[in-house]
Amino acid sequence: MTDPEFSRPHRLDQIGAGESEVRIAAEDAERAALSRRFGLKAIDTLEASYRLRRDAQGVVARGHLSARLTQACVVTGDSLPARVEQDFAIRFVPEPAAQGEDEVELTEDECDTVFYTGGTIDLGEAAAETMALELDPYPRSARAAEVLRDAGVKSEEEAAPVNALAGLKDLLAKK
């Protein structure tokens, strides 16, 4: 496995009995590397604030992620500014030692689960993955529909099965 572009290891022995707060922000080179990894034109800012606390299964991290970035329209390639503002809940649990080991039970608080090995958790990689999950997978610019129409691509309404079978109804009525 390659090293993450935005690594912020946090030692488990720094997390006490109560809640601790940690803030992280990606540097220029880290944001450029993450842009390449996620196929983005640019990431202008990427910051996360964490509230960490131990529980019976591992470490629970709740917080907020903030990012300003530029995606490319999937049709035209036009630049599309985007903003991610996302609250999150992540449970860091030790990587299971063997395949037959019991499954990790999720509780009602519906945390995402991230596995770790050793004595650290990576808050930077967790933030990068949280950002990536919030991105529009098919961003479209204002002129995307026009470009598609000019290329002969039908809209979803034009290609709907109801329209495709409309002539069949008339044929069946004639029989």
Side-chain angles (χ1 to χ4, degrees):
M1 183 176 165
T2 61
D3 289 333
E5 300 88 344
F6 177 37
S7 184
R8 291 295 185 279
H10 190 80
R11 291 183 8 210
L12 295 173
D13 62 4
Q14 292 179 330
I15 303 169
E19 193 171 81
S20 58
E21 292 190 19
V22 178
R23 293 186 182 279
I24 61 172
E27 304 284 330
D28 291 345
E30 294 166 327
R31 293 192 313 270
L34 287 171
S35 293
R36 289 188 295 277
R37 175 176 161 192
F38 296 125
L40 302 170
K41 289 195 168 199
I43 300 174
D44 300 318
T45 62
L46 173 56
E47 303 169 341
S49 59
Y50 289 89
R51 291 179 319 282
L52 304 172
R53 70 171 171 78
R54 291 184 178 274
D55 75 358
Q57 294 179 324
V59 175
V60 174
R62 296 186 185 280
H64 185 80
L65 177 109
S66 181
R68 281 191 356 237
L69 53 101
T70 304
Q71 291 184 273
C73 172
V74 294
V75 176
T76 65
D78 293 347
S79 294
L80 295 171
R83 186 167 187 93
V84 175
E85 296 292 339
Q86 182 64 40
D87 291 330
F88 59 82
I90 300 170
R91 182 181 309 281
F92 291 92
V93 295
E95 184 80 41
Q99 292 237 354
E101 196 168 310
D102 292 341
E103 291 183 16
V104 173
E105 252 185 68
L106 297 179
T107 58
E108 293 177 11
D109 55 9
E110 298 180 22
C111 293
D112 290 332
T113 301
V114 174
F115 294 103
Y116 68 88
T117 57
T120 61
I121 56 177
D122 193 340
L123 301 179
E125 180 60 16
E129 291 176 7
T130 299
M131 179 197 71
L133 288 171
E134 294 303 314
L135 296 175
D136 182 347
Y138 304 105
R140 291 194 174 191
S141 67
R143 61 186 201 99
E146 177 187 342
V147 169
L148 288 171
R149 188 174 42 258
D150 292 347
V153 176
K154 292 182 178 182
S155 69
E156 288 182 26
E157 294 80 25
E158 294 169 329
V162 173
N163 291 338
L165 298 175
L168 182 60
K169 181 180 174 184
D170 294 335
L171 286 175
L172 291 174
K174 292 179 183 177
K175 289 188 176 186

